[in-house]
Structure formats: C-alpha cells, structure tokens
Amino acid sequence: MKKNLFFGLMALAGLFTSCSQDDAYAPPTADSNQVSMSIGMPADFVKTRANAPTTFPSDHKLRCILEVWTQDGSELKVRQEQPVTAGAANITFTFELADQGEYKAVLWADYIAENATETSGHYADKYYKTDNAEGLKKVSILTSTYTYTDQVREAFTAVVPFTKGATAKNDLTATLVRPLTKVTIAEKNAEMFAKCTSMTATYTVPSEFNAFSEEVSATATYAATYNAAPVGGADITINGKACKILFSDYVFTATDGTMGGIELTFTGSATLKNKSIPANIPLKRNNWVRAAGNLITADASGYDPNLTMTVDMTTDWVNQDIPDIDKAKVGDYYYEDGTWSSTYTYDASNPCIGIVYEVNADGKSGKIVGLTQIENIDQKPWSKEKIVTGATNTTDGRVNMTTIANLITSGSKSWDTYPAFKWVTEQNNNTGNWDATTDKWYLPAKDELSAFYTAYDTYGKDNFNAKITTAGGTALSNIYFYPSSTESSNTQYYHTQFNNGSTGTQDKINNNVVRCIRTF
C-alpha cells in the first residue's frame, strides 16, 4: 500500500560541531553535577554540506543555544550559547545541574553575523530574536532583516526531556530538525517566465515560535513581501516538469498546516496580469514544499478558481527529483498521520480515522467523514430545550460548535443540554468542552451536510459504505435524518434525509443518529 503526502522521517545524521573548542573531552565523574549533551544536525544538512560544513554562507556563522527548563516550564535553570566550528565533528554542551528532577533541554541553532561577538553570554541575533524575557519560548522573526536568501534563514530546534539523578549524566543526545517549512513557488511556463522582469508576492506568515512547546503562535504574524526579480536560475523539477523559481521563503510550522493566500503582481516585456494563489498549499515542519502553476499570464487576472498548483513535498531540502505527491480522491482512506490511500491497511499505530468525501483544487486538502456514529440505541437530541442559540451558520459547522460552547460558558447550560454536540466533542477526546483551536471533528453545518450527501450519493452509497466498514466503521443509513449544526428557529434545526438528500427541519428535542466531519 502506498500512503501519500508526506515522506518518511529522515535518518539521523552524522554529528556536528563542538563549540567548546576542547579537543579532549573528559566525561564527568560519577558523583558530579555535570551534564553533557551531544547534538547532531538533520541528515540532509550534513549530507549536502560535505559531512560537516567547512564553510558557512558568506559573512555568516552558525550559533547554537541550549536552555534547560524544569519540565513544567516554570523555571529556567541553564542557558548557554556557542558558535559552531565549521568542519568539526559534533556540538557538545556541558553544564552544571545540582538539583535532581525532571527537565527539558531546549535547543535552537541559527545563522548570525560572522563577526558577532559574545556579550553577557549572548551573540547578537541576525534573523531571529532569541533573547526575549521568555528565552526560547518566544523566538520571533526579526522583520528588519527579513530576507528570502536561501539557507541563511534556516534554523534548527529540538526538545529532549530528561531525568537528572544523583550522579553525572553524560548520555544525552539530540538530532535537530527545522521548525520551518521551506516553501518554493515556481512558474511552469518558461516562455512567460522570460517575459517577467520583476514581481511582488505578498502573504502572511506566523512570526513567533515556542521552542519549549514546539508551537507556533496563532496570533503573532508578519506581512511578508517579496519584491524583486524572480529568482530563476537552474530549473526545478516539480511533478516531472522543469519549472522556474519565482521565490522561496521559510515559514514557521509546528507539525503541519497550510499557507494562506498569496497575491502576485508581475511586470515585464508584456502586459502581465496579477494572480492570486488560493490558500491551502500544505506545510509540514522540516519539509521542503515546491508548488508550481501557470502564474504569469497576459490573458487572465485575479483569482482563478481553476488554477491548479502542482505540489511536491520532501524531507530532503536539496535533491529535487522526487515523486510527486498523489492527489487525494473521494473514497480514499484517511489516516491519523495525515496521509491517505486508495487501499486500506490496518496499522494500530496509525489507524484509519475517516473517508475522504471532498477534495479541494490543490488535491492536498478537503474534508473527511468519521467512521462512527451514534447508534439507534443511544440516539441524541440536538438540544433538550427550545431556545434560540445563535448557531445559524449554514456553511461552517465549526462556527456553530463555537457558538454552542460560548453559550454553555456564559450561562448555566452544560454540554448535557446539547447531547448531539457533546458526542462530537467526545470524538476529539474532549468530554467537557470545545476548543476551536485544537479540536478537529465537528457537526457539519446545513450546507456542509448537504454537500456530503451529494458526494456520498455520487460515489455510490453502497461503495462508500463498503469503504467505511472495511476500515472498521459503521455504515451510513439511508433511513435516517442526519442532523446539521444549524438551527432554523428556537424549536427546530436543519437536517438532511439520507434516502433522497432533501433538506428539512425537525424539533430539536427529537433523537438523532449523529455523524461528524473534519477538514484536512
């Protein structure tokens, strides 16, 4: 079985540079408070830079930071910085830690100016600010030096929990990974590329990364603007086709996610039109995403709903000729790790969690329906009371879930008042609340439920149900009215009848068989 989208984890690399300059390192004695840690770089970084780099980008050097926090993050115990020596064998930190207990070693490496010197234990930051009061809990983009130059904005991180006992600890190791996705946008049409002399790309990226929790800030952003000639250079191969690079950037990514929309303007030897790249180019930490389309045109402008972006993704940030990621299809099995496949394979460590029923234009995102539902014996009413809740959104069930959650939070209600919604929260392993930031399963809105029925009917009800049951789920029933999360009045809500797809309303206090959906 071939699972698509994300490629395998990188092999561990050969270790990188020692910054302590001690040629003969002696491990601490058995009764010492000393701790030592050996750190390696990503495999492709080492491989493509001749085992360990003998040189760094012009006028730059690599700097590594170690912070040791109590496991709960309440107290910073150790902070050290070291410049990395080009061509050496590994990065080694040694430090004193007298108190026994549970800790987290938090690591960060980035490029700084070659002539940067140490002041009070800190080397001047170049592209990322690392000396906020929160330390590596708040690494932020330095917008004054924001650059699109390849490699210099690479950065690396790792978190290693450990226990310090009564004796020395000298067995700590870590392999750094990038907390970034490298995103390359390319043009498929070489003839149109040759007509372009300058371009501007505007889009928004996250601007803060918490290296302790490995989370990207949901609120801190930076409005990025690339304004220069297209990069061009040697062709980049995307889906087997030679393309020309327009620009690249490095985007903070926690695990995976999607890019927002990108607005492009072009000038050149012809009258070139503006272009909008829709949102949802996939992002995955420590991966290189390459997206190409027919972006430079003279006969179209603005957002093109038929614009197709071909996307490759790899953990190897240098080799370009890799297989393209197959696009998702309706009926594909969707797995917990964010991959999909047209064939089913049982894997207890990576179970199938749903079936794809809607695929966006990029082929890498869409919606899935869950494998389970509330059965006849345990049907749930939409609500146990007849009041106006305000859950009236017809296109996004997540909004309605949040409305019900806010109603509960602000009043005397509980999730038990809204049993259908409560069951959905439980599918997120969350029995007491709805978190719009992290919870993924939700009760579909009226139009989403109708769209799901259309996909279910078009694919073939028996065929779709066979997919669900093959994955160990419960087939949909054509005799039921499935509820949406959209209310129509104080007493009723919208449902879809699964024998013919018609939309109607019924009393909120009636029992239902409930199914939930999520995006990918």
Side-chain angles (χ1 to χ4, degrees):
M1 192 249 336
K2 177 183 178 183
K3 288 187 183 178
N4 301 303
L5 185 60
F6 302 133
F7 293 85
L9 294 174
M10 294 181 297
L12 294 180
L15 294 174
F16 201 46
T17 138
S18 173
C19 308
S20 66
Q21 309 299 324
D22 293 334
D23 294 329
Y25 168 70
T29 58
D31 60 350
S32 171
N33 293 327
Q34 283 189 303
V35 180
S36 66
M37 187 171 198
S38 185
I39 302 158
M41 300 297 288
D44 71 298
F45 184 95
V46 174
K47 177 184 66 178
T48 58
R49 292 163 175 78
N51 193 27
T54 56
T55 61
F56 293 124
S58 178
D59 301 323
H60 292 79
K61 62 185 174 185
L62 197 65
R63 172 266 308 269
C64 191
I65 302 173
L66 165 73
E67 290 183 351
V68 178
W69 291 80
T70 53
Q71 192 170 63
D72 63 1
S74 62
E75 185 178 358
L76 176 63
K77 291 287 190 177
V78 175
R79 179 177 168 108
Q80 293 183 5
E81 295 191 23
Q82 301 181 24
V84 172
T85 303
N90 63 0
I91 304 171
T92 301
F93 282 98
T94 61
F95 53 93
E96 293 283 327
L97 197 60
D99 296 332
Q100 300 178 40
E102 304 296 320
Y103 298 95
K104 278 188 179 181
V106 183
L107 295 152
W108 175 269
D110 61 0
Y111 286 106
I112 57 176
E114 185 177 35
N115 60 358
T117 58
E118 180 183 3
T119 302
S120 301
H122 176 63
Y123 289 84
D125 296 320
K126 177 71 172 177
Y127 301 109
Y128 301 96
K129 183 172 177 57
T130 64
D131 62 345
N132 292 291
E134 300 93 328
L136 295 181
K137 288 184 176 183
K138 186 179 178 181
V139 178
S140 56
I141 291 170
L142 284 170
T143 59
S144 60
T145 55
Y146 198 91
T147 178
Y148 298 85
T149 304
D150 278 359
Q151 191 179 343
V152 297
R153 275 193 50 237
E154 284 186 300
F156 310 89
T157 190
V159 177
V160 181
F162 70 96
T163 302
K164 175 63 175 65
T167 60
K169 188 169 186 63
N170 58 10
D171 58 352
L172 284 179
T173 62
T175 299
L176 301 178
V177 297
R178 300 172 181 88
L180 308 155
T181 303
K182 179 180 178 180
V183 180
T184 294
I185 305 298
E187 171 60 46
K188 290 181 177 180
N189 190 319
E191 181 180 354
M192 292 304 299
F193 181 88
K195 296 179 184 293
C196 180
T197 57
S198 66
M199 61 165 283
T200 299
T202 56
Y203 51 97
T204 299
V205 295
S207 61
E208 290 181 6
F209 176 75
N210 184 332
F212 178 90
S213 64
E214 300 184 277
E215 295 175 336
V216 174
S217 172
T219 57
T221 60
Y222 173 63
T225 302
Y226 175 88
N227 188 0
V231 172
D235 289 342
I236 182 172
T237 303
I238 300 177
N239 195 24
K241 180 177 176 58
C243 303
K244 293 291 187 182
I245 296 176
L246 296 177
F247 74 100
S248 293
D249 201 356
Y250 295 83
V251 181
F252 278 141
T253 310
T255 52
D256 53 24
T258 57
M259 281 282 287
I262 303 174
E263 298 298 321
L264 300 170
T265 61
F266 303 100
T267 57
S269 59
T271 302
L272 305 177
K273 303 298 184 180
N274 300 340
K275 185 70 70 173
S276 297
I277 300 177
N280 292 327
I281 290 174
L283 302 176
K284 188 172 179 66
R285 187 172 79 161
N286 205 45
N287 278 247
W288 180 17
V289 170
R290 294 86 57 77
N294 292 307
L295 301 171
I296 305 175
T297 62
D299 56 1
S301 63
Y303 170 68
D304 179 1
N306 298 313
L307 176 66
T308 299
M309 297 294 290
T310 302
V311 179
D312 281 345
M313 184 180 293
T314 177
T315 54
D316 188 333
W317 285 36
V318 175
N319 293 339
Q320 299 175 2
D321 297 320
I322 61 164
D324 189 39
I325 307 162
D326 290 345
K327 292 185 176 182
K329 302 179 294 297
V330 173
D332 278 355
Y333 298 96
Y334 189 88
Y335 294 85
E336 191 174 71
D337 67 351
T339 61
W340 52 78
S341 173
S342 58
T343 57
Y344 175 72
T345 296
Y346 173 77
D347 182 351
S349 65
N350 183 34
C352 176
I353 61 173
I355 307 297
V356 175
Y357 75 85
E358 182 175 297
V359 181
N360 296 330
D362 64 357
K364 316 301 177 186
S365 60
K367 293 177 182 175
I368 65 173
V369 64
L371 299 177
T372 60
Q373 65 185 28
I374 293 176
E375 284 301 313
N376 298 3
I377 195 171
D378 193 32
Q379 292 181 21
K380 306 291 186 184
W382 198 97
S383 171
K384 291 183 177 179
E385 61 182 2
K386 296 182 178 181
I387 65 167
V388 172
T389 67
T392 57
N393 194 291
T394 60
T395 61
D396 188 352
R398 294 182 64 85
V399 174
N400 293 329
M401 293 288 298
T402 300
T403 298
I404 297 297
N406 290 340
L407 184 66
I408 291 169
T409 301
S410 63
S412 58
K413 314 298 180 186
S414 73
W415 284 105
D416 290 330
T417 309
Y418 301 92
F421 290 87
K422 180 182 179 181
W423 180 81
V424 174
T425 69
E426 292 168 349
Q427 308 318 297
N428 292 294
N429 296 316
N430 183 350
T431 59
N433 205 350
W434 158 257
D435 188 329
T437 302
T438 59
D439 288 349
K440 296 183 177 180
W441 293 106
Y442 64 95
L443 193 61
K446 177 174 76 74
D447 293 349
E448 288 180 303
L449 184 61
S450 180
F452 168 58
Y453 174 83
T454 299
Y456 168 62
D457 186 53
T458 301
Y459 189 84
K461 295 178 179 179
D462 290 342
N463 294 333
F464 199 94
N465 278 327
K467 292 278 189 175
I468 292 175
T469 56
T470 296
T474 302
L476 293 147
S477 174
N478 297 332
I479 66 172
Y480 292 131
F481 294 177
Y482 282 87
S484 78
S485 58
T486 308
E487 73 176 358
S488 61
S489 68
N490 64 319
T491 61
Q492 295 191 315
Y493 67 91
Y494 291 100
H495 68 255
T496 295
Q497 190 170 333
F498 266 52
N499 65 339
N500 59 15
S502 63
T503 296
T505 61
Q506 65 173 322
D507 284 347
K508 291 178 178 178
I509 60 174
N510 288 353
N511 284 338
N512 296 291
V513 172
V514 182
R515 204 94 180 195
C516 53
I517 65 171
R518 59 175 278 186
T519 60
F520 70 94

